[in-house]
Amino acid sequence: QAKVYNDFRDYRTENHAILGINVLFGENKIRDFIDDDKYDMLIYKAILNHNKLKIEDGLNEKELLHSKIIRDADKADNFRVKLEEEIENLLYMAKDLNEIENAVITEKIFNDYLQSKLIINEDRITSLDHWISYFAFIFDFNFSSGLKFIMEKDYINRNLDRIDYKNEDTKNKIEII
């Protein structure tokens, strides 16, 4: 995705799960990693489901397990990326850091977070709505080991502390989060 589009954001390019599947299976790159094709459908479905809001219905037990494993690994890595990447690159809808620091968190996003819900992309309005939506990933971990990893690395606090929130209501919401 970054190579083809010089961008890693699905909304501006195309779904990176589909891109990965096209490279692995469409270009037959999967054979560079594994000779036997007996796991192809398992790998295909795990990749396809790793970044969806919800895992598709109808998977068999093994497909579901591997989809959950890949989803958790991807979410854990997202917390690392959010810590390392420039805030302005992550919150691309804001024109600069000052706008991010003065942004608000809408009530819908805050309430969804408090109700332990994943945040739907279409509900995000402000740059901080986008920011909080990343942290809501914790509500969709399938295995306690992933949450333990996030807690051990203190990714939530370390990421939330990256921004100097100027709005008092926002500061209060961040403390609650």
Side-chain angles (χ1 to χ4, degrees):
Q1 188 177 30
K3 184 177 180 181
V4 172
Y5 296 103
N6 197 31
D7 199 326
F8 59 89
R9 295 169 283 198
D10 288 4
Y11 84 98
R12 290 178 68 166
T13 61
E14 61 182 293
N15 183 329
H16 68 275
I18 301 296
L19 284 170
I21 286 169
N22 288 339
V23 169
L24 277 176
F25 296 100
E27 298 176 20
N28 206 32
K29 295 289 186 185
I30 190 72
R31 297 290 79 85
D32 294 349
F33 301 99
I34 185 171
D35 293 328
D36 192 339
D37 67 355
K38 73 179 182 177
Y39 298 109
D40 283 6
M41 191 51 61
L42 177 67
I43 294 166
Y44 181 98
K45 289 188 177 187
I47 293 169
L48 183 64
N49 281 284
H50 92 277
N51 66 337
K52 291 182 175 182
L53 185 63
K54 179 184 173 294
I55 295 175
E56 69 181 284
D57 293 328
L59 299 181
N60 67 41
E61 187 177 333
K62 194 174 268 192
E63 292 166 343
L64 181 59
L65 173 65
H66 284 81
S67 293
K68 287 178 177 181
I69 290 169
I70 297 300
R71 285 171 69 86
D72 279 14
D74 186 60
K75 285 182 183 76
D77 187 54
N78 261 294
F79 279 94
R80 177 196 58 80
V81 168
K82 300 307 181 255
L83 191 61
E84 295 175 2
E85 184 64 47
E86 294 293 325
I87 293 288
E88 295 88 345
N89 291 338
L90 297 170
L91 302 178
Y92 47 83
M93 69 294 307
K95 66 180 183 232
D96 57 28
L97 184 59
N98 183 57
E99 184 177 322
I100 294 167
E101 291 176 341
N102 285 288
V104 297
I105 302 167
T106 61
E107 290 304 314
K108 167 87 171 112
I109 298 305
F110 184 62
N111 290 329
D112 282 355
Y113 189 92
L114 292 182
Q115 294 173 31
S116 304
K117 292 182 180 177
L118 287 177
I119 294 170
I120 299 168
N121 290 345
E122 293 76 22
D123 290 343
R124 303 181 304 181
I125 297 170
T126 71
S127 57
L128 292 184
D129 285 350
H130 283 253
W131 190 231
I132 299 309
S133 73
Y134 301 140
F135 302 107
F137 288 164
I138 62 170
F139 306 128
D140 191 44
F141 270 87
N142 296 286
F143 305 101
S144 60
S145 57
L147 284 174
K148 182 179 177 192
F149 175 79
I150 298 301
M151 301 309 275
E152 285 173 354
K153 297 285 187 182
D154 197 24
Y155 276 143
I156 296 173
N157 288 319
R158 290 170 60 204
N159 272 304
L160 287 173
D161 289 346
R162 294 187 65 199
I163 298 174
D164 181 19
Y165 307 97
K166 306 292 187 194
N167 179 285
E168 285 304 315
D169 183 58
T170 298
K171 285 181 185 180
N172 292 332
K173 288 176 179 172
I174 291 296
E175 276 305 308
I176 293 168
I177 290 170

